Protein backbone atom coordinates (compact mmCIF):
# COMPACT_ATOMS: atom_id res chain seq x y z
CA UNK A 1 0.00 0.00 0.00
CA UNK A 2 1.31 3.44 -0.92
CA UNK A 3 1.99 6.17 1.59
CA UNK A 4 -0.25 9.22 1.80
CA UNK A 5 1.04 12.31 3.61
CA UNK A 6 -0.94 15.47 4.29
CA UNK A 7 0.24 18.61 6.05
CA UNK A 8 -2.06 21.01 7.90
CA UNK A 9 -0.66 24.19 9.41
CA UNK A 10 -2.35 26.20 12.16
CA UNK A 11 -1.09 28.99 14.41
CA UNK A 12 0.15 26.68 17.14
CA UNK A 13 0.67 23.35 15.40
CA UNK A 14 1.79 21.72 12.18
CA UNK A 15 0.06 18.37 11.74
CA UNK A 16 1.53 15.79 9.38
CA UNK A 17 -1.03 13.06 8.79
CA UNK A 18 0.37 9.76 7.57
CA UNK A 19 -1.65 6.88 6.10
CA UNK A 20 -0.55 3.58 4.56
CA UNK A 21 2.65 1.58 4.91
CA UNK A 22 5.89 3.17 6.09
CA UNK A 23 8.69 0.92 4.89
CA UNK A 24 12.16 0.98 3.34
CA UNK A 25 10.76 2.42 0.13
CA UNK A 26 8.28 4.98 1.48
CA UNK A 27 10.01 6.24 4.63
CA UNK A 28 12.17 8.74 2.64
CA UNK A 29 8.89 10.53 1.72
CA UNK A 30 7.96 10.77 5.40
CA UNK A 31 11.48 11.94 6.26
CA UNK A 32 11.27 14.70 3.68
CA UNK A 33 7.85 15.84 4.93
CA UNK A 34 8.90 15.85 8.59
CA UNK A 35 12.32 17.46 8.19
CA UNK A 36 10.90 20.16 5.92
CA UNK A 37 8.08 20.95 8.34
CA UNK A 38 10.13 21.22 11.53
CA UNK A 39 12.31 24.34 11.02
CA UNK A 40 9.48 26.67 9.96
CA UNK A 41 6.71 25.28 12.16
CA UNK A 42 4.90 27.97 14.15
CA UNK A 43 4.38 25.74 17.17
CA UNK A 44 4.69 22.06 17.81
CA UNK A 45 5.03 19.41 15.13
CA UNK A 46 2.46 16.63 15.43
CA UNK A 47 2.71 13.47 13.35
CA UNK A 48 -0.67 11.77 13.15
CA UNK A 49 -0.03 8.04 12.76
CA UNK A 50 -3.58 6.78 13.18
CA UNK A 51 -3.78 5.71 9.52
CA UNK A 52 -0.54 3.75 9.43
CA UNK A 53 -1.10 0.05 8.70
CA UNK A 54 2.53 -0.98 8.84
CA UNK A 55 5.78 0.61 9.94
CA UNK A 56 9.26 -0.87 9.91
CA UNK A 57 12.48 0.23 11.54
CA UNK A 58 13.20 2.74 8.77
CA UNK A 59 9.92 4.47 9.69
CA UNK A 60 10.79 4.47 13.38
CA UNK A 61 14.28 5.80 12.56
CA UNK A 62 12.62 8.57 10.53
CA UNK A 63 10.51 9.57 13.53
CA UNK A 64 13.69 9.64 15.64
CA UNK A 65 15.23 11.96 13.06
CA UNK A 66 12.16 14.19 13.31
CA UNK A 67 12.50 14.28 17.09
CA UNK A 68 16.21 15.14 16.83
CA UNK A 69 15.47 17.95 14.39
CA UNK A 70 12.68 19.30 16.60
CA UNK A 71 15.04 19.39 19.60
CA UNK A 72 17.62 21.19 17.51
CA UNK A 73 15.05 23.82 16.48
CA UNK A 74 13.58 24.00 19.97
CA UNK A 75 10.18 22.68 18.89
CA UNK A 76 7.89 20.15 20.53
CA UNK A 77 7.45 16.92 18.56
CA UNK A 78 4.38 14.79 19.23
CA UNK A 79 3.10 11.51 17.87
CA UNK A 80 -0.69 11.55 17.61
CA UNK A 81 -2.88 8.45 18.01
CA UNK A 82 -0.30 5.93 16.77
CA UNK A 83 -2.10 2.90 15.36
CA UNK A 84 -1.53 -0.45 17.14
CA UNK A 85 1.15 -1.57 14.62
CA UNK A 86 3.08 1.66 15.24
CA UNK A 87 2.83 1.34 19.03
CA UNK A 88 3.98 -2.26 18.83
CA UNK A 89 7.12 -1.44 16.85
CA UNK A 90 7.85 1.59 19.07
CA UNK A 91 7.64 -0.66 22.13
CA UNK A 92 9.81 -3.35 20.54
CA UNK A 93 12.39 -0.74 19.67
CA UNK A 94 12.25 0.48 23.29
CA UNK A 95 11.39 3.96 22.03
CA UNK A 96 7.79 4.27 23.26
CA UNK A 97 8.94 6.39 26.22
CA UNK A 98 11.20 8.56 24.11
CA UNK A 99 8.34 10.21 22.22
CA UNK A 100 5.52 12.33 23.55
CA UNK A 101 2.37 10.48 22.48
CA UNK A 102 -1.07 12.11 22.28
CA UNK A 103 -4.02 9.76 22.10
CA UNK A 104 -6.55 12.30 20.76
CA UNK A 105 -6.22 14.15 17.48
CA UNK B 1 -0.15 -5.11 6.75
CA UNK B 2 -2.85 -7.61 7.59
CA UNK B 3 -1.49 -11.12 7.83
CA UNK B 4 -3.14 -14.49 8.10
CA UNK B 5 -1.02 -16.62 10.39
CA UNK B 6 -2.31 -19.83 8.79
CA UNK B 7 -1.44 -19.00 5.21
CA UNK B 8 1.77 -20.58 3.90
CA UNK B 9 4.60 -18.13 3.35
CA UNK B 10 6.89 -20.80 1.85
CA UNK B 11 5.68 -23.77 -0.21
CA UNK B 12 8.21 -26.37 -1.29
CA UNK B 13 6.89 -28.74 -3.93
CA UNK B 14 8.60 -31.96 -4.92
CA UNK B 15 12.12 -30.51 -4.80
CA UNK B 16 14.85 -32.58 -6.42
CA UNK B 17 18.54 -31.65 -6.33
CA UNK B 18 21.34 -33.78 -7.71
CA UNK B 19 25.10 -33.45 -7.52
CA UNK B 20 26.10 -35.49 -10.58
CA UNK B 21 24.68 -38.98 -10.11
CA UNK B 22 23.96 -38.42 -6.45
CA UNK B 23 20.44 -37.30 -5.51
CA UNK B 24 20.75 -35.01 -2.50
CA UNK B 25 17.10 -33.91 -2.24
CA UNK B 26 14.54 -36.37 -3.47
CA UNK B 27 11.00 -35.01 -3.76
CA UNK B 28 11.02 -32.74 -0.72
CA UNK B 29 7.60 -31.19 -0.07
CA UNK B 30 6.42 -29.05 2.86
CA UNK B 31 4.89 -25.71 3.77
CA UNK B 32 6.02 -23.07 6.24
CA UNK B 33 3.17 -21.08 7.77
CA UNK B 34 3.49 -17.35 8.22
CA UNK B 35 4.85 -16.43 11.64
CA UNK B 36 6.06 -19.87 12.74
CA UNK B 37 9.48 -21.22 13.66
CA UNK B 38 10.01 -24.10 11.24
CA UNK B 39 12.95 -26.34 12.08
CA UNK B 40 14.65 -28.51 9.48
CA UNK B 41 16.26 -31.31 11.42
CA UNK B 42 18.54 -34.01 10.18
CA UNK B 43 21.87 -35.68 10.58
CA UNK B 44 25.02 -35.11 8.60
CA UNK B 45 24.42 -35.74 4.89
CA UNK B 46 20.64 -35.54 5.21
CA UNK B 47 20.45 -32.72 2.67
CA UNK B 48 19.45 -29.94 5.06
CA UNK B 49 22.20 -27.53 4.02
CA UNK B 50 21.40 -28.07 0.33
CA UNK B 51 17.74 -27.47 1.11
CA UNK B 52 18.59 -24.22 2.88
CA UNK B 53 20.73 -23.04 -0.06
CA UNK B 54 17.77 -23.62 -2.37
CA UNK B 55 15.35 -21.86 -0.04
CA UNK B 56 17.46 -18.70 0.10
CA UNK B 57 18.15 -18.72 -3.62
CA UNK B 58 21.85 -19.58 -3.55
CA UNK B 59 21.11 -22.68 -5.65
CA UNK B 60 18.42 -23.73 -8.08
CA UNK B 61 16.88 -27.22 -7.95
CA UNK B 62 16.96 -29.74 -10.79
CA UNK B 63 13.18 -29.94 -10.55
CA UNK B 64 10.34 -28.92 -8.28
CA UNK B 65 9.30 -25.48 -7.08
CA UNK B 66 9.72 -23.15 -4.15
CA UNK B 67 6.93 -20.60 -3.77
CA UNK B 68 7.60 -17.66 -1.49
CA UNK B 69 4.51 -15.58 -0.71
CA UNK B 70 2.82 -17.41 -3.57
CA UNK B 71 5.44 -16.48 -6.14
CA UNK B 72 7.58 -19.09 -7.86
CA UNK B 73 11.04 -18.24 -6.55
CA UNK B 74 12.74 -21.06 -8.46
CA UNK B 75 11.82 -19.80 -11.93
CA UNK B 76 12.19 -16.11 -11.07
CA UNK B 77 15.00 -14.10 -12.66
CA UNK B 78 16.49 -10.62 -12.60
CA UNK B 79 14.91 -7.82 -10.61
CA UNK B 80 11.95 -9.90 -9.39
CA UNK B 81 14.30 -12.38 -7.79
CA UNK B 82 16.39 -9.61 -6.21
CA UNK B 83 13.25 -7.91 -4.85
CA UNK B 84 12.01 -11.13 -3.29
CA UNK B 85 15.41 -11.87 -1.77
CA UNK B 86 15.25 -8.51 -0.01
CA UNK B 87 12.36 -9.88 2.04
CA UNK B 88 14.62 -12.70 3.23
CA UNK B 89 17.23 -12.44 5.98
CA UNK B 90 19.97 -15.03 6.28
CA UNK B 91 21.96 -15.77 9.39
CA UNK B 92 24.99 -17.80 8.39
CA UNK B 93 26.56 -20.50 10.53
CA UNK B 94 29.86 -18.65 10.90
CA UNK B 95 28.06 -15.28 11.14
CA UNK B 96 29.92 -14.22 7.93
CA UNK B 97 30.69 -10.76 9.28
CA UNK B 98 33.26 -8.75 7.33
CA UNK B 99 36.23 -8.44 9.64
CA UNK B 100 37.63 -5.26 8.12
CA UNK B 101 34.63 -3.09 9.01
CA UNK B 102 32.87 -2.36 12.30
CA UNK B 103 29.93 -4.32 13.62
CA UNK B 104 27.67 -1.33 12.91
CA UNK B 105 28.89 -1.12 9.32
CA UNK B 106 28.25 -4.85 8.91
CA UNK B 107 24.64 -4.38 10.02
CA UNK B 108 24.25 -1.27 7.85
CA UNK B 109 25.73 -2.92 4.75
CA UNK B 110 22.49 -4.41 3.29
CA UNK B 111 20.73 -1.06 3.79
CA UNK B 112 23.52 0.82 2.04
CA UNK B 113 23.55 -1.71 -0.82
CA UNK B 114 19.82 -2.11 -1.39
CA UNK B 115 18.05 1.07 -0.28
CA UNK B 116 18.18 4.78 -0.90
CA UNK B 117 17.89 5.63 2.77
CA UNK B 118 19.98 8.50 4.12
CA UNK B 119 23.04 7.72 6.22
CA UNK B 120 21.41 9.32 9.28
CA UNK B 121 18.39 6.99 8.96
CA UNK B 122 20.60 3.95 8.47
CA UNK B 123 22.70 4.89 11.50
CA UNK B 124 19.58 4.95 13.73
CA UNK B 125 18.24 1.71 12.23
CA UNK B 126 21.58 0.02 12.92
CA UNK B 127 21.48 1.07 16.55
CA UNK B 128 17.89 -0.18 16.89
CA UNK B 129 18.82 -3.59 15.42
CA UNK B 130 21.88 -3.99 17.64
CA UNK B 131 19.85 -3.05 20.71
CA UNK B 132 17.22 -5.65 19.74
CA UNK B 133 19.80 -8.43 19.77
CA UNK B 134 21.34 -7.26 23.04
CA UNK B 135 24.39 -5.60 21.48
CA UNK B 136 23.59 -1.95 22.14
CA UNK B 137 26.76 0.16 22.17
CA UNK B 138 29.04 -2.22 20.24
CA UNK B 139 28.56 -0.69 16.79
CA UNK B 140 32.13 0.65 16.66
CA UNK B 141 33.74 -2.67 17.63
CA UNK B 142 35.39 -4.85 15.02
CA UNK B 143 33.97 -8.39 14.65
CA UNK B 144 37.30 -9.80 15.89
CA UNK B 145 36.70 -8.04 19.21
CA UNK B 146 33.45 -9.96 19.82
CA UNK B 147 32.92 -13.35 21.48
CA UNK B 148 31.36 -16.23 19.50
CA UNK B 149 27.91 -15.56 20.96
CA UNK B 150 28.16 -11.84 20.24
CA UNK B 151 29.15 -12.57 16.64
CA UNK B 152 26.02 -14.73 16.26
CA UNK B 153 23.91 -11.90 17.65
CA UNK B 154 25.55 -9.42 15.28
CA UNK B 155 24.84 -11.83 12.40
CA UNK B 156 21.18 -11.90 13.44
CA UNK B 157 21.12 -8.08 13.61
CA UNK B 158 22.50 -7.95 10.07
CA UNK B 159 19.96 -10.52 8.87
CA UNK B 160 17.28 -8.28 10.40
CA UNK B 161 18.65 -5.10 8.81
CA UNK B 162 16.14 -4.95 5.95
CA UNK B 163 13.15 -5.82 8.18
CA UNK B 164 12.68 -9.17 6.43
CA UNK B 165 9.47 -11.18 6.50
CA UNK B 166 11.37 -14.46 6.59
CA UNK B 167 14.65 -15.20 8.33
CA UNK B 168 16.78 -18.29 7.81
CA UNK B 169 19.25 -19.52 10.40
CA UNK B 170 21.95 -22.07 9.54
CA UNK B 171 22.96 -24.03 12.65
CA UNK B 172 22.57 -20.97 14.90
CA UNK B 173 23.94 -22.55 18.07
CA UNK B 174 26.77 -24.54 16.46
CA UNK B 175 30.08 -24.03 18.19
CA UNK B 176 28.60 -22.20 21.17
CA UNK B 177 28.61 -23.38 24.77
CA UNK B 178 25.18 -24.52 26.03
CA UNK B 179 24.44 -21.32 27.93
CA UNK B 180 25.32 -19.00 25.05
CA UNK B 181 23.51 -21.33 22.63
CA UNK B 182 20.39 -21.19 24.82
CA UNK B 183 20.61 -17.39 24.69
CA UNK B 184 20.54 -17.54 20.88
CA UNK B 185 17.47 -19.80 21.06
CA UNK B 186 15.72 -17.24 23.26
CA UNK B 187 16.66 -14.50 20.80
CA UNK B 188 15.29 -16.47 17.80
CA UNK B 189 12.01 -16.96 19.64
CA UNK B 190 11.89 -13.31 20.67
CA UNK B 191 12.41 -12.15 17.07
CA UNK B 192 9.64 -14.46 15.88
CA UNK B 193 7.18 -13.40 18.58
CA UNK B 194 7.82 -9.69 18.43
CA UNK B 195 7.95 -9.24 14.66
CA UNK B 196 5.74 -12.20 13.68
CA UNK B 197 8.73 -13.26 11.61
CA UNK B 198 8.56 -16.53 9.77
CA UNK B 199 11.73 -18.35 10.77
CA UNK B 200 13.36 -21.37 9.19
CA UNK B 201 16.09 -22.93 11.30
CA UNK B 202 18.43 -25.67 10.14
CA UNK B 203 19.90 -27.55 13.04
CA UNK B 204 20.78 -30.95 14.43
CA UNK B 205 20.72 -29.85 18.07
CA UNK B 206 17.77 -31.35 19.92
CA UNK B 207 17.91 -28.94 22.87
CA UNK B 208 17.56 -26.06 20.44
CA UNK B 209 14.64 -27.76 18.68
CA UNK B 210 12.81 -28.17 22.01
CA UNK B 211 13.29 -24.48 22.76
CA UNK B 212 12.21 -22.93 19.48
CA UNK B 213 10.24 -25.21 17.14
CA UNK B 214 6.60 -24.83 16.19
CA UNK B 215 7.01 -27.36 13.39
CA UNK B 216 9.80 -29.86 12.84
CA UNK B 217 10.65 -31.31 9.44
CA UNK B 218 12.89 -34.34 9.68
CA UNK B 219 15.15 -35.14 6.73
CA UNK B 220 16.93 -38.39 6.07
CA UNK B 221 18.84 -39.14 2.89
CA UNK B 222 17.28 -36.18 1.11
CA UNK B 223 13.69 -37.15 1.93
CA UNK B 224 11.20 -35.85 4.46
CA UNK B 225 10.60 -38.73 6.87
CA UNK B 226 8.47 -36.83 9.35
CA UNK B 227 6.81 -33.46 9.78
CA UNK B 228 4.75 -32.03 12.61
CA UNK B 229 5.12 -30.69 16.12
CA UNK B 230 8.01 -32.01 18.20
CA UNK B 231 5.54 -34.05 20.26
CA UNK B 232 4.11 -35.62 17.10
CA UNK B 233 7.56 -36.55 15.86
CA UNK B 234 8.52 -37.98 19.24
CA UNK B 235 5.52 -40.33 18.94
CA UNK B 236 6.29 -41.28 15.32
CA UNK B 237 7.14 -44.93 14.72
CA UNK B 238 9.68 -44.21 11.96
CA UNK B 239 12.89 -46.04 12.94
CA UNK B 240 15.25 -43.20 11.91
CA UNK B 241 13.25 -40.59 13.85
CA UNK B 242 13.27 -42.83 16.92
CA UNK B 243 17.00 -43.44 16.53
CA UNK B 244 17.73 -39.73 16.09
CA UNK B 245 15.66 -38.67 19.10
CA UNK B 246 17.15 -41.43 21.25
CA UNK B 247 20.69 -40.57 20.03
CA UNK B 248 21.31 -44.23 19.23
CA UNK B 249 24.41 -44.79 17.10
CA UNK B 250 24.31 -46.76 13.86
CA UNK B 251 24.58 -50.53 14.22
CA UNK B 252 28.26 -51.05 13.38
CA UNK B 253 27.89 -54.84 13.29
CA UNK B 254 25.19 -54.63 10.62
CA UNK B 255 27.26 -52.11 8.68
CA UNK B 256 30.31 -54.37 8.92
CA UNK B 257 28.28 -57.30 7.59
CA UNK B 258 26.99 -55.21 4.70
CA UNK B 259 30.54 -54.14 3.92
CA UNK B 260 31.75 -57.74 3.98
CA UNK B 261 28.86 -58.82 1.73
CA UNK B 262 29.58 -56.03 -0.74
CA UNK B 263 33.26 -56.93 -0.80
CA UNK B 264 32.96 -60.71 -1.08
CA UNK B 265 29.59 -61.18 -2.72
CA UNK B 266 28.87 -63.82 -0.03
CA UNK B 267 25.88 -63.83 2.35
Amino acid sequence: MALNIERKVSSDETVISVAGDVDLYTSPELRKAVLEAVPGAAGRVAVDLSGVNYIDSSGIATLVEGLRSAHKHDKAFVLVTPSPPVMQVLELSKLDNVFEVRTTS
Amino acid sequence: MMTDTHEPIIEVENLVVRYGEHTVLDGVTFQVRRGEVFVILGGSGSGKTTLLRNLVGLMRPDSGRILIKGEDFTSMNGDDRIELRKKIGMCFQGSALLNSISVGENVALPLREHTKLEDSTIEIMTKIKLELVGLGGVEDYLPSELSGGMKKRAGIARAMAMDPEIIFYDEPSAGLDPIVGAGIDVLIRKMQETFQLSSVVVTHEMESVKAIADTVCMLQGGRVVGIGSLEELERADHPYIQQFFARRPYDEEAEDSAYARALTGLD
Side-chain angles (χ1 to χ4, degrees):
Chain A
M1 187 180 173
L3 189 66
N4 187 45
I5 301 173
E6 285 177 17
R7 183 166 148 183
K8 201 160 78 183
V9 180
S10 66
S11 57
D12 63 345
E13 192 169 76
T14 295
V15 180
I16 299 165
S17 298
V18 189
D21 294 347
V22 187
D23 58 22
L24 293 172
Y25 304 100
T26 59
S27 63
E29 279 179 65
L30 176 61
R31 182 179 187 274
K32 186 167 180 281
V34 170
L35 295 187
E36 278 180 4
V38 170
R44 73 182 81 83
V45 175
V47 184
D48 186 333
L49 299 165
S50 57
V52 173
N53 302 313
Y54 171 83
I55 192 165
D56 68 7
S57 62
S58 71
I60 299 298
T62 299
L63 295 175
V64 173
E65 287 195 86
L67 181 66
R68 280 181 179 175
S69 175
H71 278 195
K72 191 175 139 197
H73 291 92
D74 206 20
K75 304 273 166 65
F77 188 83
V78 192
L79 305 184
V80 182
T81 54
S83 60
V86 176
M87 274 315 295
Q88 195 184 18
V89 182
L90 277 174
E91 285 164 11
L92 297 174
S93 313
K94 301 177 189 170
L95 293 169
D96 48 323
N97 293 322
V98 169
F99 290 96
E100 183 185 339
V101 175
R102 199 167 76 202
T103 50
T104 52
S105 49
Chain B
M1 249 184 249
M2 296 297 288
T3 53
D4 176 356
T5 52
H6 296 291
E7 71 175 271
I9 192 161
I10 302 173
E11 296 161 87
V12 177
E13 296 175 354
N14 207 19
L15 209 66
V16 175
V17 176
R18 295 187 189 91
Y19 294 139
E21 297 288 302
H22 182 52
T23 302
V24 184
L25 295 178
D26 190 5
V28 170
T29 297
F30 61 80
Q31 292 187 344
V32 179
R33 284 171 296 142
R34 187 180 284 278
E36 74 169 332
V37 176
F38 186 94
V39 171
I40 298 168
L41 184 64
S44 305
S46 61
K48 55 190 194 300
T49 301
T50 300
L51 176 56
L52 184 68
R53 284 181 186 156
N54 278 268
L55 289 172
V56 299
L58 294 174
M59 280 178 74
R60 288 184 199 260
D62 289 278
S63 63
R65 296 198 306 170
I66 298 167
L67 304 181
I68 294 182
K69 298 181 73 185
E71 295 181 73
D72 187 352
F73 190 42
T74 33
S75 65
M76 208 176 265
N77 285 306
D79 290 347
D80 289 344
R81 192 171 171 86
I82 291 168
E83 281 306 308
L84 197 55
R85 279 182 70 169
K86 288 181 190 172
K87 299 184 196 310
I88 293 171
M90 174 71 197
C91 187
F92 294 94
Q93 190 177 149
S95 298
L97 299 170
L98 298 175
N99 283 319
S100 56
I101 57 175
S102 70
V103 172
E105 281 304 310
N106 267 283
V107 176
L109 197 59
L111 294 165
R112 295 199 195 287
E113 289 288 315
H114 297 297
T115 76
K116 292 175 178 164
L117 296 171
E118 296 292 333
D119 285 349
S120 53
T121 311
I122 291 175
E123 176 217 327
I124 296 167
M125 289 173 74
T126 299
K127 286 182 178 168
I128 290 172
K129 295 293 153 67
L130 285 170
E131 180 67 36
L132 277 173
V133 300
L135 288 181
V138 309
E139 55 266 28
D140 293 331
Y141 285 52
L142 287 171
S144 58
E145 296 174 297
L146 303 185
S147 68
M150 290 168 87
K151 280 182 189 166
K152 290 276 181 184
R153 286 173 184 269
I156 294 172
R158 190 180 56 187
M160 293 286 296
M162 300 273 289
D163 288 270
E165 292 180 50
I166 308 167
I167 188 163
F168 293 90
Y169 300 89
D170 187 10
E171 302 278 5
S173 43
L176 301 177
D177 73 47
I179 296 169
V180 176
I184 298 297
D185 290 339
V186 169
L187 182 59
I188 290 171
R189 203 69 222 182
K190 177 184 159 194
M191 290 295 160
Q192 181 270 334
E193 284 167 4
T194 50
F195 293 103
Q196 285 302 299
L197 263 179
S198 308
S199 310
V200 178
V201 184
V202 166
T203 188
H204 64 269
E205 305 212 16
M206 283 309 298
E207 287 308 311
S208 186
V209 177
K210 287 175 194 165
I212 62 175
D214 291 311
T215 302
V216 181
C217 172
M218 186 94 196
L219 282 184
Q220 183 204 11
R223 293 183 178 195
V224 175
V225 292
I227 192 162
S229 67
L230 181 61
E231 294 72 26
E232 286 168 336
L233 257 67
E234 282 173 332
R235 289 196 300 270
D237 59 4
H238 191 284
Y240 179 74
I241 298 174
Q242 289 181 348
Q243 183 184 11
F244 194 96
F245 281 23
R247 292 190 82 236
R248 278 201 313 273
Y250 289 110
D251 184 346
E252 283 188 25
E253 226 169 82
E255 284 184 3
D256 287 350
S257 304
Y259 161 73
R261 276 197 303 276
L263 212 60
T264 62
L266 301 172
D267 283 331

